[in-house]
Amino acid sequence: MGFFSKMFTAIRGAATESGDAILDTQAMRILEQEMRDARIHLDEAKENLTKVVAEQMAVEREVKRLEKGVAEYEGYTMQALDKGDEKLAGELAEKIAELENELEAQRSVLDGYNNNIRQLKETIRGTERNIKSMEREINVLKTQVSVQKANEAAAAKFSGSTSALRSATDSLERVKKKQQEKSDRMAAALQMQKEESGDNLQDKLKQAGIISEGTSGNSVLARLKAKREGGSARNQAE
């Protein structure tokens, strides 16, 4: 393969990859636009169905009118026969035949409308189900894309030794260390203050039992109990 042939093949491959990338990027937008178009076509189909139903209702009224006319002229014909007027009865019979022929034609038209309307309704219902199903799938896909983007962003932001997460962790550890150092200094300062004021020495003397720890509620209660028991003993002796 010559140099120019290889270059042409490489350019075609790069163009294909670029086209695929653009298609992937725009895929969701294209899909959503197609669903909007489908909704528009569905609304148009419903509007057209409304017109067809209106036409069907008009034909149905015409069928009922013709049926009523046939029944009416049949009654007239029977009355003419009862009176023995064969000529009038024949004319009425011709009228009935005319009405029945028209009625048959209108019934055929009405059957066609009924069948078409039934098929159109089934098609519309099926299309609505498909659109809703596709919209659910699109929502799931959009959620997946959002999650993937979040994962990619998190991976890019918090990966590696110099990531923001590691930096934040190091900062937190530094703050905790400084707080601990400050607490230690405050504790040391208080300890030194106690030693300088003699409090620490007093504590040591109390612990050794050399000096009294002072009066407490328990010592007062013990003293009063002893005093009470001593008074009771003297009264009994007297």
Side-chain angles (χ1 to χ4, degrees), residues 88-195:
L88 180 58
E91 292 176 357
L92 292 170
E94 289 292 334
K95 181 62 177 178
I96 292 171
E98 180 183 339
L99 291 173
E100 286 182 343
N101 289 332
E102 180 63 21
L103 177 60
E104 184 179 356
Q106 290 299 318
R107 281 175 174 170
S108 178
V109 173
L110 182 60
D111 289 341
Y113 271 111
N114 291 335
N115 291 332
N116 289 331
I117 289 172
R118 183 174 60 255
Q119 292 176 359
L120 287 171
K121 287 182 177 179
E122 290 177 357
T123 302
I124 288 174
R125 284 194 294 268
T127 303
E128 284 182 324
R129 286 194 297 269
N130 291 335
I131 289 176
K132 289 179 180 179
S133 177
M134 286 294 296
E135 287 175 342
R136 286 193 295 268
E137 292 293 332
I138 289 173
N139 289 333
V140 171
L141 183 59
K142 289 169 70 175
T143 302
Q144 290 176 343
V145 170
S146 298
V147 170
Q148 289 173 356
K149 287 181 178 179
N151 287 334
E152 290 173 358
K157 188 174 181 61
F158 299 119
S159 63
S161 58
T162 59
S163 67
L165 181 60
R166 184 178 296 275
S167 177
T169 303
D170 293 341
S171 298
L172 180 61
E173 290 298 325
R174 285 195 299 272
V175 171
K176 289 169 64 177
K177 185 177 180 180
K178 288 181 179 179
Q179 290 295 327
Q180 186 62 49
E181 290 175 354
K182 185 180 293 185
S183 298
D184 292 342
R185 286 197 299 271
M186 291 177 64
L190 290 173
Q191 182 67 25
M192 292 177 64
Q193 183 178 4
K194 287 184 66 176
E195 290 178 356

